[in-house]
Structure formats: structure tokens, C-alpha cells
Amino acid sequence: MTDVLSTTAQPAVPGRPSVPAFAVISGEQVQRALSGREKQLVELVETAYRLHGAGDSVNPPSYFLRFPDRPSARIIALPASIGGPVRVDGLKWISSFPENVSHGLPRASAVLILNDHDTGYPFACLESSIISATRTAASAALAADWLSRHRTRPRRVGFFGTGLIARYIHTFLTGTGWSFDTVGVHDVSRDSADGFRGYLRQSGTTAQVTVHDRAEDLVRESDLVVFATVAGEPHVTDPAWFTHNPLVLHVSLRDLAPEILLGSANFVDDVEHCLKADTSPHLVEQRTGNRDFLNGTLNDVMLGRAAPPTDRPVVFSPFGLGVLDLVVGKYVYDEVARAGDLRLIDDFFHDLRRHG
């Protein structure tokens, strides 16, 4: 492996595509490229949503690899392609093994493969748990901004679930100009809730931080509620908790019972992706036989084709699109390349002569 910047694995011939060099980008390099750039990354994710909404992307269904002997675990493949100024194809391969947490390991691990637009050759493999958390948090911050533009901006935020994703979402909210008077915290694990409270204190927040023992108290005392759990089925079932009409970032997708969504205004990132795999919106569709409960996509809001009401809870349920991973991953690659820090694998592509 060499730490040099190169663009091809063989001499380029004018007018003829060449094989790109193959780079491996570590989690430390990813984090260094992304740290402190929340506003820029939210703008990048907004660009990706607009390109996707305009049809300048390919984002097929995700593929779930499940295991009969490990029913709580899964590995998901998210293939995608995006055009515009990014012009890159690729695949995120992300595992979710909840049992890791009890062993002191993060639940999720991931890699991202980037493929060259012209030749299809993969040119980079990036550690992607940080990229995945970043694009999720940037999407949540973007949605919070657009969905609150016609209502009083929330000053009380509550985090239901206090793992890595919650931490990244808080970082992106504060990094894009949000400030809060109070921060509520609730988790089924008291240790996790206390750990998140410790993170909040270290972050320098001036907000009052409260760990709620009861989920109901967290929801009722928050104007912006972030669901970031590993729930596999709805566990919040009482619409009365939401009568104060909060903005809800339903990032973990399976927390809310159909009754709550039916009493809310509902926005998603992509209709076809979100209404499958027994997500809460999918359960509503199965119950009602239609999609009338949906008010639109986030892109519809950004284009002015849909507006969140102020007299109901507003719920954003993002499935998480592979195109977001691509734009963030390509951004990381370009930053590392500009710094001259690409770690290239010599002769990764070896037998390149068609007939030997």
C-alpha cells in the first residue's frame, strides 16, 4: 500500500478510458474530512435530494440479508448512482448486529464502494459507519429546518434513543444553527441515557438536560422529538402524547403506531423506499389500503409543492437513500485526494489484458 496520489493504474491514452487506481480510506480519514463541516454537508445532502427528485439518480430497493440463527441481525446492501456534479456509482454494505452493544461494540459497521462513472471500475473503499451516521444526521437536520419554517422554531428537543445516531443528529442540529433551552433524553438503557447526558455536557450545551424515566414525559415536553432507536416494531401507541403538535424526526422508522401517523402530517424521503419492510408508514398503508396519509416528500417541501401544517404533529420518516451515502463518500474521497493522503493499493487490478 502506498500513500501517494495517483489517478490511474495504467498509463492513460488520450480519448480512451483508463482503469482508476484503488484507494482504501480509513475511518480516521473519513472523520477528519467531515469534522466541523455540518453546514456544508447539509447543503450537499440537499443537493442530493434535489437531484434524486429530478430523476438524476438510480436508487433501487435495498437488499436485506437476514440470518435464521441470528434473527436480530441483518446486513443491508444499498446500491445507487447519482449524476449532477457528483457523477458516481456505488454500494453501501452496512451491518446491524444489536447484540454488539452488550459487548461494548457499536451496533453498526459499514463499508462504501465507489465506482467510476465511465468505466464502472471501483476506485475506493471507505469505512462508512461514520459516513452513514453523517448522512443520516444531515438529512435529519435538513428536514428539521424545512419542516419548521412555517411554525415556531422548536426550543425543546427530546432524544428517544441515545446511541451514535442521536449524537450525530445533535451535532448536526447545533452545527447548523439550532439552539435549545432544554434537551430531553430517554432510553431503555439507563447507562446509555447517562452516557448521552455526559456527551451533551462535554459538547458545551447551555440547555437544561433532563433524563426522563418515562417515554411519555419526553414526548410531551419536547417540541422536536428525535426517534433514533433499534425498535423492530411500534412501541409508542398513544396519540394523546402528541397533542401539542411537535415536529417528529422518525429516523428509526418503526417506533410509531399507525394511529399516531394517521393523526399527523407525514413526510418521507422517498415514497417507494419508505413504504416497505414493515416500517410504520408501511403498516399504515397495509391497514388503510392506500397512501392518502402521506403529505409528500421532503423534496416536495423544498420545491414548495407541499407545506407542513401547524395544527397537527408533523412526522418525517426517512428510509435513508443510498445516493446520500454516495455524495458524502465522494466528498470524503475528494477531500482526502486534495490533501494528497490517498492510500493506494498497488496492482489491485492485475490482469488487464483481454487476451492475456
Side-chain angles (χ1 to χ4, degrees):
M1 201 183 317
T2 55
D3 292 336
V4 297
L5 176 58
S6 176
T7 56
T8 59
Q10 60 182 25
V13 177
R16 181 188 302 173
S18 56
V19 176
F22 188 79
V24 174
I25 298 177
S26 70
E28 188 274 334
Q29 290 178 294
V30 171
Q31 193 162 54
R32 184 164 9 111
L34 298 177
S35 180
R37 302 181 183 182
E38 290 83 11
K39 290 183 180 180
Q40 187 173 352
L41 291 164
V42 169
E43 292 171 358
L44 188 65
V45 165
E46 179 173 340
T47 297
Y49 274 132
R50 292 185 184 275
L51 289 170
H52 180 66
D56 197 3
S57 68
V58 182
N59 206 108
S62 304
Y63 183 82
F64 287 71
L65 177 62
R66 299 186 184 276
F67 314 97
D69 61 328
R70 293 157 287 168
S72 67
R74 65 181 186 268
I75 308 179
I76 311 172
L78 289 82
S81 173
I82 191 162
V86 185
R87 279 181 26 115
V88 70
D89 313 322
L91 172 78
K92 179 171 76 169
W93 182 239
I94 181 166
S95 66
S96 174
F97 278 55
E99 302 303 320
N100 284 351
V101 176
S102 63
H103 302 294
L105 293 173
R107 172 185 60 86
S109 59
V111 294
L112 176 69
I113 301 295
L114 299 179
N115 292 76
D116 180 70
H117 176 276
D118 296 324
T119 66
Y121 272 80
F123 62 88
C125 176
L126 300 86
E127 196 285 330
S128 198
S129 64
I130 297 170
I131 290 172
S132 186
T134 294
R135 64 85 150 151
T136 300
S139 168
L142 180 69
D145 177 31
W146 279 96
L147 296 174
S148 65
R149 291 191 177 188
H150 299 290
R151 55 169 55 205
T152 302
R153 195 170 175 90
R155 300 287 302 181
R156 304 181 300 167
V157 64
F159 289 90
F160 197 133
T162 55
L164 178 75
I165 298 300
R167 172 163 60 87
Y168 270 74
I169 291 174
H170 179 265
T171 298
F172 268 78
L173 288 172
T174 57
T176 52
W178 288 77
S179 60
F180 302 102
D181 298 326
T182 65
V183 179
V185 176
H186 175 77
D187 198 289
V188 294
S189 166
R190 182 69 191 210
D191 287 344
S192 182
D194 288 340
F196 191 71
R197 177 172 57 183
Y199 149 73
L200 291 170
R201 288 173 175 168
Q202 292 175 1
S203 74
T205 183
T206 58
Q208 176 184 337
V209 178
T210 302
V211 176
H212 294 281
D213 293 327
R214 298 199 318 155
E216 178 180 356
D217 294 337
L218 174 89
V219 174
R220 288 187 180 273
E221 296 181 22
S222 303
D223 304 313
L224 173 62
V225 185
V226 179
F227 283 92
T229 75
V230 294
E233 59 186 23
H235 54 97
V236 177
T237 60
D238 190 350
W241 293 8
F242 300 84
T243 53
H244 58 300
N245 300 329
L247 172 58
V248 180
L249 302 178
H250 187 207
V251 175
S252 36
L253 278 176
R254 294 175 176 84
D255 303 274
L256 303 180
E259 292 80 5
I260 293 170
L261 296 191
L262 288 169
S264 305
N266 294 280
F267 297 89
V268 297
D269 55 354
D270 182 281
V271 175
E272 296 302 327
H273 282 77
C274 195
L275 271 66
K276 62 178 58 177
D278 289 333
T279 64
S280 294
H282 188 207
L283 296 180
V284 176
E285 181 188 32
Q286 293 176 56
R287 175 178 294 191
T288 63
N290 59 62
R291 298 177 173 180
D292 296 344
F293 68 97
L294 290 178
N295 294 69
T297 65
L298 180 58
N299 189 55
D300 290 332
V301 175
M302 294 191 297
L303 293 176
R305 298 191 299 225
T310 58
D311 60 349
R312 281 178 289 163
V314 172
V315 179
F316 178 59
S317 300
F319 191 81
L321 301 177
V323 291
L324 304 185
D325 297 278
L326 289 186
V327 297
V328 175
K330 183 59 163 53
Y331 173 85
V332 170
Y333 177 88
D334 291 340
E335 288 297 303
V336 175
R338 268 193 286 271
D341 293 331
L342 283 180
R343 298 170 180 171
L344 302 180
I345 307 298
D346 295 327
D347 300 322
F348 185 82
F349 300 108
H350 175 62
D351 195 351
L352 298 174
R353 295 180 181 274
R354 186 177 181 189
H355 300 294

